[in-house]
Amino acid sequence: MAVERICVVVVSGTRERLQMAAMAASVAAVSGIEVTIFLSMNAVPYFVKGASANPPSEGAFGDLIVTKKAPDFKTLFSQAVELGDAKILPCSMALDIAGIEADTLESYVGEPTGLSGFLDAARGAQVWTF
Amino acid sequence: MNFDKDLDARGLNCPLPILRAKKALTDMQSGQVLRIVSTDLGSVKDFQAFCKQTGNELLSQTEASNEYTFFLKRK
């Protein structure tokens, strides 16, 4: 049976995990799957407007992503929204702790959401965590 | 085979061929045909799964000189 709803939880701030999350989310979204992405912890600061998509690598592969000019994770997340109607929800707790105002986030990022809101969105969906 | 729009995805790695195809299909009418040429090895399985998932029809797929050509009919 085809998967119809996926929630992607992104908490990592490393290149490989952000990249894999963005690849999976964008392809799922343009394939007609309802995708909700919940950003928290170390992932959040990269989604402030103008923040570079240049996180530290976990290993050699992360460096290859850059040298081989793979599309960066922010571009892929934005295309998940633009082309596939994915929703990207920033964690309200993470914003608060990091001192980040919601209106400073990239335009394709949605409204701050708490865990209750996320759990509601995730009900009945597959949940993938990066 | 005749086609209405052409997408050159040569040199692009996963997931860009699929994302570019989705973008191209968005601008097309139902029944129109999109030709895609890719060099990504994974694109064969990717476009089969993409069409199965989205309901667009994979009319044909061929390989020549490490280039993969797909004809997709928009649903």
Side-chain angles (χ1 to χ4, degrees), chain A:
Chain A
M1 187 176 119
V3 176
E4 299 302 334
R5 293 178 61 230
I6 293 171
C7 285
V8 182
V9 181
V10 190
V11 297
S12 175
T14 63
R15 189 187 310 279
E16 289 90 336
R17 290 174 193 271
L18 288 163
Q19 189 77 14
M20 193 67 235
M23 290 169 64
S26 59
V27 171
V30 303
S31 297
I33 297 171
E34 184 181 327
V35 176
T36 302
I37 299 145
F38 188 63
L39 300 176
S40 190
M41 311 294 174
N42 295 315
V44 172
Y46 293 105
F47 292 87
V48 172
K49 284 174 192 161
S52 76
N54 191 29
S57 300
E58 291 184 8
F61 200 92
D63 299 331
L64 283 173
I65 290 171
V66 178
T67 57
K68 296 291 185 180
K69 299 188 185 333
D72 69 70
F73 65 92
K74 287 183 74 171
T75 299
L76 295 177
F77 276 125
S78 70
Q79 293 197 345
V81 175
E82 177 191 346
L83 301 176
D85 293 328
K87 294 184 182 68
I88 300 181
L89 305 175
C91 170
S92 55
M93 179 278 288
L95 291 176
D96 186 41
I97 286 183
I100 297 170
E101 298 292 335
D103 60 4
T104 66
L105 297 173
E106 298 283 7
S107 60
Y108 53 83
V109 175
E111 292 296 311
T113 301
L115 272 174
S116 293
F118 166 69
L119 289 171
D120 186 50
R123 184 174 294 123
Q126 285 195 14
V127 179
W128 302 346
T129 303
F130 294 87

Side-chain angles (χ1 to χ4, degrees), chain B residues 54-65:
Chain B
T54 59
N56 296 298
E57 185 179 356
L58 182 56
L59 298 174
S60 79
Q61 59 181 53
T62 56
E63 187 272 337
S65 305

